Amino acid sequence: MASETHTSVPVCLIENTPARGLVVRPEALQVLSKITQPVVVVAITGLYRTGKSYLMNRLAGQRRGFSLGSTVQSHTKGIWMWCVPHPCRPGHTLVLLDTEGLGDVKKGDTRNDTWIFVLTILLSGTLIYNSRGTIDQLAMDQLHYVVKLTDHVKLKAAPKESEDELDDSEKFVLFFPTFIWAVRDFTLQLEVDGKEISEDEYLEEALKLKAGSSRETQCYNQPRECIRQFFPDRKCFVFDQPASKRDLVRLEDLQDDEINPEFQQQVEKFCSHIWEKCPPKTVPGGHIITGNLLGKLATTYVETIQSGAVPCLESAVLALAEIENAAAVKEAVTLYQDLMAQRAKLPTENVQELLELHSQCEQEALELFMARAFKDGICHFQADLISQVEAVKAKFCKDNEQASHDKCKAALRDLSQDMEKRISDGVYNVSGGYQLFKGDQQALVEKYWEVPGKGVKADAVLQEFLQSRKTLAESILNTDRSLTEKDRELKSTFWAGEMPLPVEGQA
């Protein structure tokens, strides 16, 4: 049964520490390890103090949760996580990631900004980029981290095998999330050349490239080209200012009638889209990520960064596949064992009955394995599964034989009680006793074959029983022959002996 472990408040997933840099928090991993449901991972990034946390709290269905802060300092350090029941997808968990504000001048050392941005992209299924004002060149310049993505992430551990192979940057889209640009405190009219346009059209207008090859044009086009290339699935939402400036410092405490109605409608539209449209987190091959696997991904990426290397997407997926496929084998073998234990009524009447049951349970175990396993390196793990299932089957066969042996022995023990008493009473130690013994034993055998559910060892155990009585039967036979011979001798003596002399005085 899928886990329904959630958190009542956000917890730190990846801490940004001055001494050690980025560190995955064990408390967060413990939470994720218990979530075996698919996860819809929605992350938000952007400059500090742009209202990111407020949107994430609303996505969680709460007013409070992620720290909003009320000063010019960034309150969120590292990446914080909030796991809540998904409001529209039963059996799924919504994982919200609120990230440290980019460009906080108080930090001094901003080297981790890029890594925070990279991790946010790699862990999320939907990425929200939060900015203020309009989508202009300044907003694009502030998103300069996207230009550095190919320097901080690689697709393969091995170099390209041929010139015809696509560049890594052209394949990143397989790993990257859908992209949503949230424009806060938007004051412009959504129109171009006097014609009303949608929010998405506004974004596409802002991403249009300029013709030309001058350095200025290249600088203008570069972030736009990266967004268009890395995030082909993209959307835009614009938001009015939620309240007056003096009320913004207590935004989470404002009542609905104190918040701009248009802003409320925009937030509701935004949340509905996230809840209804954003898919579960997947990796190439279509494998759906659970909370447990998300924690392993976070650990893999952060450890790679800590080592001074660049995260390799395919290596991370392969490492995940190794872990998940091994777990899938274990789960499938456990299912096979449980099904056999439930369905096999030992002893079975014959071997074929057990083998047919084995085939059914093996098929169900294989189906479970294929549904859970990554396709990468699956053949090796599937062979391991078959090998382990065969070992379990062999034990069931052995147990089946033992159960049959025990039942047959018990049946013969019960059926032979009368004979055992007759043997101890010497009933068969008479002339003709062997035939009497054979008759009783034949009756015992006939009753034995009438006992139901003896199983596969019925004949072997009977033969073993009869063989064990062979010496006894020979002893009874010898006794019978000896007594019969004595009886014969007595009769012979009686009939062939001298007639008695007549009594004196008799004629």
Side-chain angles (χ1 to χ4, degrees):
M1 183 176 178
S3 168
E4 296 182 359
T5 300
H6 303 114
T7 51
S8 57
V9 294
V11 296
C12 185
L13 173 61
I14 299 174
E15 186 178 7
N16 190 359
T17 66
R20 295 188 296 163
L22 301 176
V23 179
V24 181
R25 298 292 299 173
E27 306 94 303
L29 292 180
Q30 186 175 10
V31 170
L32 289 174
S33 69
K34 297 177 182 177
I35 300 178
T36 57
Q37 297 178 338
V39 289
V40 178
V41 188
V42 180
I44 194 165
T45 188
L47 294 183
Y48 76 104
R49 301 305 309 128
T50 52
K52 303 187 306 299
S53 298
Y54 179 83
L55 285 182
M56 300 306 274
N57 289 342
R58 294 301 297 269
L59 285 174
Q62 303 293 329
R63 291 276 186 176
R64 297 174 179 272
F66 290 113
S67 174
L68 268 62
S70 59
T71 69
V72 295
Q73 290 180 299
S74 171
H75 267 226
T76 304
K77 298 296 183 184
I79 299 177
W80 283 68
M81 173 186 78
W82 200 353
C83 303
V84 298
H86 198 288
C88 297
R89 293 178 183 265
H92 289 64
T93 294
L94 179 61
V95 178
L96 302 171
L97 301 180
D98 189 14
T99 67
E100 177 175 335
L102 305 175
D104 184 0
V105 295
K106 295 290 184 181
K107 286 191 296 188
D109 183 358
T110 61
R111 287 177 299 177
N112 281 349
D113 273 4
T114 300
W115 286 127
I116 292 289
F117 184 76
V118 168
L119 286 169
T120 304
I121 286 177
L122 297 183
L123 296 176
S124 65
T126 298
L127 174 68
I128 303 166
Y129 180 69
N130 197 70
S131 69
R132 275 182 171 167
T134 61
I135 303 179
D136 54 15
Q137 189 56 38
L138 177 60
M140 289 291 174
D141 291 341
Q142 291 170 342
L143 194 52
H144 65 276
Y145 304 98
V146 76
V147 177
K148 302 178 182 179
L149 276 177
T150 54
D151 296 331
H152 291 81
V153 181
K154 62 179 179 178
L155 184 69
K156 292 185 175 182
K160 288 181 12 176
E161 296 180 359
S162 69
E163 290 298 323
D164 295 331
E165 189 175 341
L166 292 175
D167 291 331
D168 285 359
S169 59
E170 297 174 18
K171 294 183 180 179
F172 281 147
V173 66
L174 299 174
F175 293 85
F176 283 5
T178 57
F179 182 81
I180 295 177
W181 196 315
V183 187
R184 309 294 290 277
D185 301 343
F186 186 73
T187 56
L188 299 179
Q189 293 294 318
L190 285 173
E191 58 179 40
V192 173
D193 298 330
K195 180 183 177 182
E196 186 176 345
I197 59 173
S198 67
E199 295 158 299
D200 293 341
E201 289 171 332
Y202 170 66
L203 174 59
E204 296 310 309
E205 281 288 327
L207 293 178
K208 280 185 177 179
L209 305 180
K210 284 184 178 180
S213 57
S214 67
R215 180 164 182 78
E216 181 182 348
T217 300
Q218 290 177 1
C219 290
Y220 178 90
N221 287 341
Q222 190 178 33
R224 290 169 172 81
E225 286 177 328
C226 290
I227 294 172
R228 290 160 65 97
Q229 179 182 349
F230 295 145
F231 306 110
D233 186 0
R234 50 188 180 264
K235 192 168 181 62
C236 180
F237 289 91
V238 300
F239 300 86
D240 289 1
Q241 186 165 307
S244 64
K245 186 175 180 179
R246 64 182 179 84
D247 287 333
L248 288 179
V249 294
R250 59 184 190 93
L251 183 57
E252 61 187 10
D253 296 320
L254 295 180
Q255 301 300 313
D256 286 347
D257 58 3
E258 298 178 277
I259 298 177
N260 182 347
E262 290 190 13
F263 175 78
Q264 289 193 67
Q265 292 175 4
Q266 292 160 344
V267 170
E268 289 173 3
K269 178 183 174 184
F270 167 80
C271 290
S272 295
H273 173 84
I274 298 293
W275 293 333
E276 296 170 11
K277 304 296 183 183
C278 292
K281 168 72 176 174
T282 61
V283 293
H287 197 89
I288 296 176
I289 296 299
T290 62
N292 182 42
L293 293 181
L294 182 66
K296 289 180 169 61
L297 268 181
T299 300
T300 298
Y301 288 138
V302 171
E303 286 179 350
T304 302
I305 293 170
Q306 287 176 330
S307 72
V310 173
C312 176
L313 302 181
E314 286 194 346
S315 295
V317 173
L318 287 173
L320 209 60
E322 289 280 324
I323 296 170
E324 183 69 352
N325 287 352
V329 168
K330 184 177 180 181
E331 186 176 341
V333 171
T334 299
L335 175 66
Y336 172 81
Q337 289 175 314
D338 292 345
L339 291 176
M340 287 290 288
Q342 292 167 13
R343 299 174 185 177
K345 307 303 179 185
L346 303 184
T348 59
E349 284 298 325
N350 51 61
V351 174
Q352 187 59 33
E353 181 183 337
L354 187 65
L355 292 180
E356 289 176 359
L357 186 59
H358 153 75
S359 296
Q360 296 169 8
C361 297
E362 182 183 47
Q363 182 59 35
E364 291 183 45
L366 277 171
E367 289 173 0
L368 172 67
F369 170 77
M370 296 301 293
R372 175 172 175 176
F374 280 65
K375 301 305 177 281
D376 301 273
I378 196 173
C379 293
H380 163 70
F381 288 96
Q382 188 170 350
D384 184 33
L385 169 60
I386 297 299
S387 175
Q388 291 193 46
V389 165
E390 283 296 317
V392 176
K393 182 192 78 172
K395 186 178 184 306
F396 268 99
C397 289
K398 185 177 180 181
D399 290 347
N400 191 42
E401 291 181 354
Q402 187 62 49
S404 175
H405 182 274
D406 293 345
K407 185 164 186 177
C408 292
K409 291 279 285 186
L412 287 170
R413 187 166 52 250
D414 292 341
L415 291 172
S416 63
Q417 284 181 0
D418 287 344
M419 280 192 71
E420 292 297 330
K421 187 174 187 309
R422 300 187 78 178
I423 290 169
S424 65
D425 291 345
V427 172
Y428 302 116
N429 296 327
V430 297
S431 177
Y434 181 67
Q435 289 301 321
L436 181 61
F437 173 82
K438 284 181 63 179
D440 287 350
Q441 184 161 276
Q442 181 58 35
L444 182 152
V445 170
E446 291 173 0
K447 288 179 180 179
Y448 171 77
W449 285 119
E450 291 174 1
V451 175
K454 294 183 295 298
V456 296
K457 300 295 286 184
D459 186 63
V461 171
L462 177 60
Q463 295 306 317
E464 178 185 324
F465 173 79
L466 295 177
Q467 184 66 29
S468 71
R469 292 197 162 215
K470 192 173 181 180
T471 301
L472 174 64
E474 290 176 353
S475 175
I476 293 173
L477 176 60
N478 290 334
T479 300
D480 186 355
R481 285 174 176 172
S482 177
L483 292 175
T484 300
E485 184 62 29
K486 285 183 178 180
D487 285 350
R488 189 179 296 113
E489 289 177 358
L490 286 172
K491 288 179 182 178
S492 259
T493 301
F494 178 77
W495 292 109
E498 295 181 355
M499 293 295 292
L501 293 174
V503 178
E504 186 178 347
Q506 291 182 343

